[in-house]
Amino acid sequence: MRLSEISKKEVLDANTGQKLGMPGSADIVIEKETGKVESLVLPSSPAYPFRKRTKEWVIPWENIQRIGEDFVIIDTAQLKQAPGTNQ
C-alpha cells in the first residue's frame, strides 16, 4: 500500500468510534538506522493544502490498529501533538 492511498482513508478512533477526519497529505517517520516506520504524521486541517499547518498529530506506528479498505483505525490514547506546532 502506498502512502498516498493511506492519505485518502478516513481515520477512526478505536476507543470511541469517533471519526477523526481525512489525513490528506500524511507523512511517515522512518528510523534511520533500522529503516522501520516509527510513526504516521497527520495534518489537522488537510482541506486547505496551501495554508500553513497549525497542528500535526504524530501517531506511533504501534498505535495503528488496522489499515482497511476505507479506514485507518488508531488508538488515540498515546496521540500527541508534533513538536513545534501550535495548539
Side-chain angles (χ1 to χ4, degrees):
M1 179 175 298
R2 295 176 179 241
L3 182 58
S4 61
E5 293 174 286
I6 293 173
S7 297
K8 295 174 185 171
K9 298 177 187 297
E10 190 157 22
V11 179
L12 297 177
D13 182 343
N15 299 312
T16 65
Q18 179 182 8
K19 292 181 180 181
L20 302 175
M22 304 285 283
S25 55
D27 285 321
I28 56 172
V29 177
I30 298 173
E31 172 59 43
K32 228 184 217 185
E33 288 76 33
T34 64
K36 291 183 179 181
V37 175
E38 285 187 346
S39 58
L40 187 63
V41 180
L42 305 175
S44 63
S45 55
Y48 304 102
F50 298 109
R51 288 189 179 175
K52 184 178 177 183
R53 292 182 185 167
T54 57
K55 285 187 192 177
E56 289 182 331
W57 298 98
V58 177
I59 303 168
W61 194 251
E62 58 271 8
N63 288 47
I64 298 174
Q65 294 186 346
R66 179 173 291 264
I67 299 175
E69 192 171 319
D70 298 315
F71 299 100
V72 176
I73 300 173
I74 63 170
D75 177 5
T76 59
Q78 301 297 317
L79 192 63
K80 60 185 178 184
Q81 192 173 357
T85 58
N86 300 328
Q87 290 188 3

